[in-house]
Each structure stands twice: as structure tokens, then as C-alpha cells.
Amino acid sequence: MREPGAKAATSVTLRINGRALTVPAGTSVAAALALAGDLVSRSDLAGRPRGPLCGMGVCFECRATVDGVPEVLTCLTPCREDLEVVTDA
């Protein structure tokens, strides 16, 4: 919980495949991937690139490893300071 009168962060810095990226607070990880130019978050079993499709957690195409947890839906995951995202693309 924040202290009364404390301001919320206006931006956060995360790492995507080892690269630092600063995005506005409240940005989803999928949107951060797009801002970074990484529209592909994973490959399917045949090696074809996959990325966010529905943007609301239904299609499961936006999965990536977030803070060491595999298969996280990046469209439903908000960015936070020092978040580590690893894609397999």
C-alpha cells in the first residue's frame, strides 16, 4: 500500500531478452514487447512465430517466460519495475 499523498510511478523499467525498456506504468507485457519491436513472443511446435492475437487471454498465443515462470500470458500481465521477460523467438 502506498503512503497517503505518494505519487504512483509514471514509468517502469523491465528487461526483455536482456534489453532494458522503459514503458508507461500500467502497460501490459505484450504491449511492451510490441514497443520493443518484438511482436513475436514464442514459436509453435513447427517453429512458426507466434504473438498476441486476442489481447484478452483467450488465445494463449502471447505466452513468454516472466520472472522465471514459463507460459505466462503477457497480454494479462502488467509491467512492473525490474520485471524479466524472456521470449523463445
Side-chain angles (χ1 to χ4, degrees):
M1 192 159 109
R2 289 186 314 183
E3 291 290 320
K7 290 190 176 190
T10 58
S11 64
V12 295
T13 301
L14 65 152
R15 297 190 68 75
I16 298 174
N17 296 325
R19 294 178 301 159
L21 177 68
T22 300
V23 298
T27 302
S28 71
V29 173
L33 287 167
L35 288 170
D38 295 332
L39 297 176
V40 175
S41 60
R42 65 181 195 87
S43 298
D44 68 11
L45 294 175
R48 294 176 296 225
R50 308 304 289 177
L53 180 64
C54 72
M56 59 183 187
V58 175
C59 72
F60 294 88
E61 295 296 337
C62 66
R63 293 173 286 167
T65 300
V66 178
D67 281 345
V69 179
E71 307 294 319
V72 173
L73 297 178
T74 62
C75 68
L76 298 179
T77 305
C79 293
R80 62 173 168 68
E81 195 66 33
D82 297 324
L83 191 72
E84 186 74 33
V85 180
V86 178
T87 65
D88 65 341

